[in-house]
Amino acid sequence: MGNESLTNGHSHEMAGKATRVPEKILTTKPLENGLGDGGASYHDNYANYEADETTASLQESVIIVRRKFVNELDDVEDSSIESVVIENVLEFIERQRLIHMPHRGSHWDKVLKWAEFFALQVSRYAAAAEPFASESKAAAKLIWTASKSLLNLGPDNAMALEVAFGQFYRLGLSISSLLRDSTLLSASNEIRREVGQTLNIVLLLVRDVTFYYRLRLRSSAQETSFDFNGAFGGQIASFQKHKNHIVDAMWKQALGDGAATEYRVLRRWLNPYDEN
């Protein structure tokens, strides 16, 4: 297995594109409709995310998120979740492009491009995890459903959606780096556990972003400043932590049980090229 396969990094070209995503839209305000307590900000409500995600299994999350989507998203039905597959997600995105004909490099063009990339990486990751994480396919369906619900907010909200899908694009880059050695994703109990946890984190993050955006964008015609990382940074950091655990475990698996010291030295040596 080549060194380049197990690094966290990506090509300078792709990373460069991702880092140019704007960071600020919308405003952080108390949530409504049961999503907050009326006196706490979104960031406050998710300040303890780390504790929450470690106690929730992927199976539990799939049940809870599916129920919430069906009950609270007006463009989602149980049958639509069940029937969604990657092919009709890609068709949906292509239809959005044909309807609105965005100029290359425009906000809506980037949103659609990043949504497509993210959907494809989720599909590949769920397929790789399915042999040992039976709910991975159901989790992917919910992630695609949430992405479509966000896209249904339309090109009028493209500048706001660009931030969300820019972050999803970054997650897709991280997932794609793990999939370079997909056979190792099932190589040990430790790796399998972490793969399930990262998919769980992605599902919960996409759920939270979807409800927040739909609430704020539908209740306000005026776009204001919002610190995305301030609201969702804990979840993103948690994903990166678990992803790095997977990479470490994959290196150990590839180098053998007696090579713990060597792989740590190698990771430190690769560190300048192994950032994400």
Side-chain angles (χ1 to χ4, degrees):
M1 176 175 51
N3 290 355
E4 70 277 5
S5 295
L6 283 178
T7 59
N8 298 344
H10 317 290
S11 71
H12 295 299
E13 178 184 0
M14 295 184 80
K17 290 179 181 177
T19 54
R20 288 195 292 270
V21 175
E23 295 291 341
K24 292 183 179 291
I25 52 165
L26 303 177
T27 187
T28 305
K29 294 182 180 179
L31 295 181
E32 304 164 6
N33 300 334
L35 294 175
D37 60 9
S41 70
Y42 189 85
H43 180 265
D44 292 335
N45 288 330
Y46 285 86
N48 295 320
Y49 172 77
E50 177 69 15
D52 174 71
E53 60 89 9
T54 56
T55 61
S57 70
L58 182 60
Q59 183 178 25
E60 292 169 340
S61 294
V62 163
I63 294 170
I64 293 169
V65 173
R66 182 166 183 155
R67 184 185 304 122
K68 186 174 181 67
F69 282 3
V70 171
N71 291 339
E72 300 183 29
L73 293 178
D74 55 16
D75 57 347
V76 172
E77 297 180 354
D78 198 61
S79 60
S80 67
I81 296 174
E82 188 61 35
S83 63
V84 68
V85 293
I86 185 59
E87 289 79 11
N88 57 42
V89 174
L90 299 180
E91 289 172 3
F92 173 84
I93 294 172
E94 182 61 23
R95 189 160 59 250
Q96 293 297 310
R97 186 173 293 280
L98 290 173
I99 291 171
H100 300 290
M101 300 293 288
H103 294 295
R104 185 174 182 179
S106 66
H107 296 300
W108 192 236
D109 176 59
K110 291 178 183 178
V111 167
L112 296 177
K113 185 184 302 182
W114 292 338
E116 178 179 357
F117 179 79
F118 178 58
L120 285 167
Q121 304 318 306
V122 168
S123 176
R124 294 175 62 210
Y125 200 51
E130 190 172 11
F132 54 86
S134 60
E135 294 299 321
S136 63
K137 183 178 179 180
K141 286 176 176 288
L142 291 168
I143 293 168
W144 296 331
T145 297
S147 297
K148 289 174 66 178
S149 186
L150 282 171
L151 292 175
N152 279 335
L153 292 169
D156 289 344
N157 293 302
M159 188 176 295
L161 291 170
E162 183 181 354
V163 179
F165 280 98
Q167 292 292 349
F168 296 164
Y169 170 73
R170 291 186 180 113
L171 292 178
L173 288 174
S174 292
I175 291 170
S176 69
S177 72
L178 296 176
L179 288 166
R180 294 171 190 165
D181 296 278
S182 59
T183 57
L184 284 176
L185 292 178
S186 59
S188 70
N189 288 334
E190 178 186 6
I191 296 174
R192 290 192 292 270
R193 182 174 60 252
E194 293 289 351
V195 168
Q197 190 62 272
T198 52
L199 189 56
N200 189 39
I201 293 168
V202 172
L203 171 59
L204 297 180
L205 172 63
V206 174
R207 173 204 64 183
D208 296 342
V209 171
T210 298
F211 278 99
Y212 184 73
Y213 268 56
R214 286 173 63 91
L215 175 66
R216 298 311 311 161
L217 291 176
R218 287 187 167 186
S219 63
S220 175
Q222 182 179 4
E223 193 172 274
T224 53
S225 178
F226 167 65
D227 182 2
F228 188 98
N229 287 332
F232 302 105
Q235 288 162 286
I236 294 169
S238 184
F239 171 86
Q240 295 298 337
K241 182 190 75 174
H242 287 281
K243 186 212 70 175
N244 288 337
H245 289 170
I246 294 173
V247 173
D248 288 346
M250 290 170 81
W251 272 111
K252 286 192 289 186
Q253 192 70 29
L255 295 175
D257 293 338
T261 302
E262 288 82 355
Y263 100 85
R264 289 191 179 92
V265 171
L266 182 58
R267 282 291 303 278
R268 284 197 296 270
W269 180 75
L270 289 170
N271 189 59
Y273 310 100
D274 194 31
E275 295 175 351
N276 186 37

